[in-house]
Amino acid sequence: MPSGKLLNSSAAQSWGSKMSVLTSPRGKVEVVHCRRTESQDIYCIKNLIRKFTQKLFGNLNIIYLLEKANLAITLHNDQEEIMAQATFLDYPNWNIATQDDWVSVFRELDSDIPCTPLNTLFMHLFVAVDEYSVGCCKEIIRTVFKAVPDLHFVFLIVPSCMSLGSTLITVFSQVGCVPSLTNDEDFAVHVCHRQNHYPQLHIRKAR
């Protein structure tokens, strides 16, 4: 499905065949599989959207979002039931910067994060079955970093008046706040680092 600048040939690996086991807080176990999002997933994705989802990400056109996505990932169980979905683009969600000039905004916010258009994606949507949402979120984030070797940062922008909830806060940490380009609303910027989820291994000569 979606293919963006970060998805180069080295990322064309069979990451979608991976199987994982998730355990709910009540001890229920579910085997999940990861693959790229397909058009037939749209109905189920919409059914997983809650009011809280809309407050975090806005009122989204799912079809348009998937068409624009650099990477869109679906988790499903052995019965092909969709457990979670996340969509990533190479520019911020919400209107805090222009699509081709967001780097300066983020560098000014935190100069210690060396983000560039080649090593950064933005989460524009995350939905999941409530009971397995934390495990699904962590699994999707691991898969994103595995699928895109050059990726080092995933950002999430939400209205500053909103908390991330009990799921997204397990993988994202807040960097700061930035104003909207079009109104007086502020937005909180959160980041997720590769090193915390799927660190790269470096090869050196034996000593």
Side-chain angles (χ1 to χ4, degrees), residues 1-2 7 15-16 18 33-38 41 45 48 66 69-76 82-89 121 123 125-128 136-148 151 154:
M1 178 125 175
L7 299 183
W15 55 266
K18 183 176 181 292
H33 308 266
C34 188
R35 59 168 170 77
R36 296 182 186 275
T37 299
E38 301 171 353
D41 298 340
I45 293 171
L48 289 173
L66 292 177
N70 293 73
L71 184 61
I73 294 173
T74 294
L75 290 185
H76 65 88
I82 291 181
M83 304 296 293
Q85 196 277 338
T87 306
F88 303 88
L89 280 74
L121 285 175
M123 178 181 278
L125 178 65
F126 171 78
V127 293
C136 286
C137 183
K138 292 179 178 180
E139 187 63 30
I140 284 177
I141 290 296
R142 279 194 295 267
T143 301
V144 170
F145 285 120
K146 180 181 179 181
V148 191
L151 181 67
V154 175

Side-chain angles (χ1 to χ4, degrees), residues 48-59 162:
L48 289 173
I49 292 176
R50 308 286 185 257
K51 288 184 178 179
F52 180 73
T53 313
Q54 294 176 325
K55 289 179 179 179
L56 283 183
F57 296 101
N59 294 317
M162 294 292 300

Side-chain angles (χ1 to χ4, degrees), residues 56-120:
L56 283 183
F57 296 101
N59 294 317
L60 300 172
N61 182 325
I62 304 301
I63 296 175
Y64 177 81
L65 185 67
L66 292 177
E67 288 176 349
K68 294 292 184 180
N70 293 73
L71 184 61
I73 294 173
T74 294
L75 290 185
H76 65 88
N77 61 15
D78 285 339
Q79 291 74 45
E80 296 292 332
E81 297 168 331
I82 291 181
M83 304 296 293
Q85 196 277 338
T87 306
F88 303 88
L89 280 74
D90 57 5
Y91 57 86
N93 55 321
W94 297 103
N95 193 17
I96 63 165
T98 59
Q99 293 186 15
D100 55 358
D101 190 30
W102 57 264
V103 174
S104 59
V105 175
F106 284 75
R107 288 287 180 86
E108 184 176 341
L109 185 65
D110 190 338
S111 59
D112 291 331
I113 301 179
C115 56
T116 73
L118 297 178
N119 68 10
T120 303

